[in-house]
Amino acid sequence: MNHLATADYLVFFLYLVIVVGYGYWVYRRRRQKTINTTDFFLAEGSLTWWAIGASLIASNISAEHFIGMAGSGFAMGLAISSYEWIAAATLVIVAIYFIPIYLRNHIYTMPQFLAQRYSDTVSTILAIFWLVVYVLVNLTSILYLGAIAIESLAGISFTVCTLGLAIFAIFITLGGMKVIGYTDVIQVVVLVFGGLVVTYLALQLVAQETGSGSVWNGLLSLRQHADSHFHMFFPKGHPYYEVLPGMALVTGGMWINNFSYWGCNQYIVQRALGADLKTARSGILFAAFLKLMIPLIVVIPGIAAFVLYQHGTFQAAMTDASGAVKPDHAYPVLMNLLPVGMKGLAFAALTAAVVASLAGKANSISTIFTLDIYKKYIDNKASEQKLVTIGRWAVVVAFLIAVALAPMLRSLDQVYQYIQEYTNFITPGVFAIFLLGFFWKRATNRAALTVAILTIPLSTLLKFWPEVTHLFGTESDPIPFLHRTTWVFCIDVAIMVVISLVDPVRVKGLIIDRQMFRVSPSFVVGSIGIFSILAVLYAVFW
């Protein structure tokens, strides 16, 4: 069993004191004022562009990246980085076209947008879907991955880890979005520096094992010793084609997945909804630049662990009791090799990533439940203070459910793929409803309602397509989930168009002014920089 030294605990507790102390200071600054829902859930007008950008990344990067994406890096290589790199491009488009619509129409939650554009029925159906996915898939998996990483690193029991992470995250979340947003700045600094320490160690080990000399040469030698892990395109027949199928990495499913996540997701968009347009766009652009470097922190260590494993290192640590290789062990194994003190920093970085993501997710769960379920259907006359109290209780209940369910994920191999696949059951329909709701005035409530009901059955049908065709005496290959996402999205759009065209009901519109899509020269320069970097990366590694 691995343990942290006294110096490691000192580093970790220093981080803990700084985050908790700073969060409490932020909270106390506004304690004398009456806390209302916009302040608690959105921190309206109080987050700067750098706090918004940092909070976006801190909420997004969690144990599923450090553990899950590093595990996918070990198993399949750099191709998994498309989730990060396409996300950077997506963020630019979201900042230009999506955020202005939300802010101009005073949208605070995604279900509120659906109610304003379509109807309360569509809003409620998707609000329930989101709550189920956020609690049962996202919150639970983040807690699970964080707990197994800390268990592996520090030798603390899984149960104690889940409880500790949950309590820490609850403390941060109960302070509201302003506390989350500004503590996320510290979390991002810690997780980036801690992640780079692990990357440096991994490359140093590769350099020693391969005799390539310096850390830089260790990075260069990765491609020589693991060439199969440096291709972005997987042709049909590749072992991981079903996970990352060919051109879907840069077309179709990958874009749909990212637009839905970054543009139609309460968990993410909420960070920008309390700011003015210029601040929100600057924060999102900052997050896009940070996104470009995430593979260096999480994927490269996974590939390095693969090279070391191929050279005979970590043979026992990378397998379970039955002898099966467990890719998700890669990052915890590397962290355990850090020197005293540095392991404490890595421990703090991992905890920062997990807690920031848990807090952000819990705040969004609380926001949707309180404003779109409780206030609308249970007590529509509730005071602002009562709604804030209900929101805090929603946070506690969500964590109790996640703590109870987290141990059930132990049987999974690559949890990151589990998260992507099962959240994508709802992704195509959500994005179709939002996209047409944004940019096609003719889209009707009946069309949106139909798609909201049908999208999960359609995704399920294509998920089990080989079994379905087998019942009729024919055989077919499984459909990769990114292709399923594309197919279901196209079907959903077609359904919405047909129903809208034959539906005589008058459509509820949004306030849209072409002027609000204009961007500043500095934003244009930053966007060109991001797309140029992406073009070079894909040209080199395609």
Side-chain angles (χ1 to χ4, degrees):
M1 182 178 290
N2 299 292
H3 294 281
L4 298 177
T6 302
D8 296 316
Y9 280 115
L10 289 175
V11 171
F12 175 75
F13 282 117
L14 176 62
Y15 147 76
L16 193 66
V17 168
I18 291 173
V19 172
V20 172
Y22 182 59
Y24 185 67
W25 177 76
V26 170
Y27 173 73
R28 288 281 298 181
R29 286 182 66 190
R30 296 183 65 89
R31 192 180 178 189
Q32 299 304 319
K33 299 181 180 180
T34 301
I35 299 178
N36 56 36
T37 52
T38 54
D39 182 65
F40 182 77
F41 294 118
L42 297 175
E44 188 170 23
S46 60
L47 294 183
T48 59
W49 66 267
W50 45 269
I52 290 172
S55 190
L56 282 169
I57 296 302
S59 299
N60 170 243
I61 304 301
S62 184
E64 71 228 47
H65 285 76
F66 276 98
I67 309 303
M69 188 169 270
S72 294
F74 179 97
M76 67 185 74
L78 196 63
I80 197 68
S81 299
S82 281
Y83 279 106
E84 306 304 302
W85 292 341
I86 297 300
T90 302
L91 279 165
V92 173
I93 298 171
V94 166
I96 297 173
Y97 295 107
F98 289 28
I99 294 300
I101 296 176
Y102 291 137
L103 295 181
R104 182 68 179 83
N105 290 273
H106 305 288
I107 301 297
Y108 296 142
T109 72
M110 299 302 97
Q112 180 197 344
F113 165 80
L114 296 172
Q116 193 166 317
R117 176 60 178 83
Y118 295 110
S119 70
D120 285 341
T121 304
V122 174
S123 170
T124 302
I125 289 174
L126 286 178
I128 293 171
F129 283 168
W130 274 314
L131 287 174
V132 170
V133 171
Y134 284 176
V135 176
L136 301 187
V137 178
N138 298 116
L139 200 68
T140 302
S141 61
I142 293 167
L143 195 60
Y144 162 75
L145 284 168
I148 63 167
I150 294 173
E151 180 186 38
S152 174
L153 178 66
I156 303 171
S157 74
F158 179 85
T159 302
V160 172
C161 291
T162 55
L163 290 173
L165 289 169
I167 291 170
F168 190 6
I170 287 172
F171 178 85
I172 297 295
T173 310
L174 295 184
M177 178 53 74
K178 185 175 183 181
V179 173
I180 294 171
Y182 280 107
T183 54
D184 278 349
V185 176
I186 299 175
Q187 310 279 40
V188 164
V189 172
V190 173
L191 74 86
V192 168
F193 277 101
L196 289 174
V197 166
V198 176
T199 300
Y200 181 89
L201 168 77
L203 296 177
Q204 187 178 56
L205 291 173
V206 169
Q208 293 172 357
E209 188 68 35
T210 60
S212 51
S214 67
V215 170
W216 175 252
N217 289 333
L219 177 61
L220 297 178
S221 70
L222 284 182
R223 193 168 188 179
Q224 177 184 349
H225 293 276
D227 181 67
S228 62
H229 280 51
F230 282 88
H231 298 286
M232 304 300 292
F233 179 85
F234 290 170
K236 195 167 185 178
H238 189 281
Y240 289 103
Y241 176 78
E242 287 187 24
V243 178
L244 297 173
M247 290 299 294
L249 289 185
V250 291
T251 61
M254 184 64 76
W255 284 96
I256 295 168
N257 182 62
N258 272 287
F259 276 123
S260 179
Y261 180 85
W262 294 101
C264 315
N265 183 353
Q266 182 71 31
Y267 173 46
I268 295 299
V269 179
Q270 187 166 340
R271 271 101 190 109
L273 295 182
D276 61 82
L277 182 57
K278 181 180 179 181
T279 303
R281 277 178 168 165
S282 298
I284 293 171
L285 191 65
F286 177 46
F289 273 107
L290 291 176
K291 260 300 187 183
L292 294 175
M293 68 178 292
I294 298 303
L296 179 64
I297 297 173
V298 294
V299 180
I300 293 299
I303 299 174
F306 172 78
V307 172
L308 294 168
Y309 178 79
Q310 294 296 101
H311 282 75
T313 310
F314 310 144
Q315 295 293 318
M318 288 301 303
T319 55
D320 59 16
S322 65
V325 176
K326 302 292 288 184
D328 283 346
H329 287 186
Y331 205 85
V333 166
L334 288 172
M335 286 196 299
N336 274 314
L337 296 178
L338 288 168
V340 173
M342 289 295 101
K343 187 186 288 188
L345 179 60
F347 184 25
L350 180 62
T351 304
V354 175
V355 170
S357 196
L358 287 173
K361 185 67 72 178
N363 184 266
S364 295
I365 292 167
S366 171
T367 303
I368 291 176
F369 175 78
T370 304
L371 300 183
D372 298 299
I373 302 295
Y374 183 85
K375 184 179 180 181
K376 188 178 290 185
Y377 297 106
I378 300 175
D379 186 359
N380 59 11
K381 296 181 180 179
S383 66
E384 291 285 295
Q385 188 60 48
K386 183 177 182 180
L387 291 174
V388 171
T389 301
I390 292 297
R392 286 172 170 157
W393 275 111
V395 170
V396 175
V397 172
F399 272 109
L400 289 174
I401 295 171
V403 168
L405 295 179
M408 299 180 186
L409 300 185
R410 282 184 174 273
S411 61
L412 298 176
D413 182 21
Q414 294 181 52
V415 177
Y416 188 78
Q417 295 307 319
Y418 156 79
I419 296 168
Q420 296 300 327
E421 175 150 356
Y422 287 96
T423 54
N424 266 36
F425 271 57
I426 188 175
T427 292
V430 168
F431 184 51
I433 291 170
F434 272 76
L435 184 66
L436 295 185
F438 281 147
F439 303 114
W440 191 41
K441 292 182 179 180
R442 190 70 180 82
T444 65
N445 168 58
R446 190 171 298 167
L449 182 60
T450 303
V451 166
I453 294 171
L454 290 181
T455 190
I456 290 181
L458 283 172
S459 296
T460 304
L461 175 66
L462 293 186
K463 164 70 175 175
F464 298 102
W465 187 248
E467 289 79 0
V468 172
T469 56
H470 181 73
L471 292 175
F472 294 94
T474 59
E475 301 295 331
S476 65
D477 294 330
I479 303 173
F481 87 89
L482 286 177
H483 285 342
R484 289 203 310 270
T485 301
T486 305
W487 277 107
V488 175
F489 172 74
C490 292
I491 294 170
D492 285 341
V493 169
I495 290 172
M496 284 195 68
V497 169
V498 170
I499 293 177
S500 295
L501 291 176
V502 300
D503 191 350
V505 177
R506 185 179 178 182
V507 179
K508 298 167 68 176
L510 296 169
I511 302 173
I512 296 180
D513 178 3
R514 290 185 180 182
Q515 297 294 323
M516 65 189 186
F517 298 125
R518 291 186 175 181
V519 295
S520 65
S522 60
F523 187 92
V524 173
V525 172
S527 302
I528 291 173
I530 287 172
F531 281 100
S532 298
I533 293 170
L534 288 172
V536 171
L537 288 170
Y538 277 97
V540 171
F541 295 115
W542 186 248

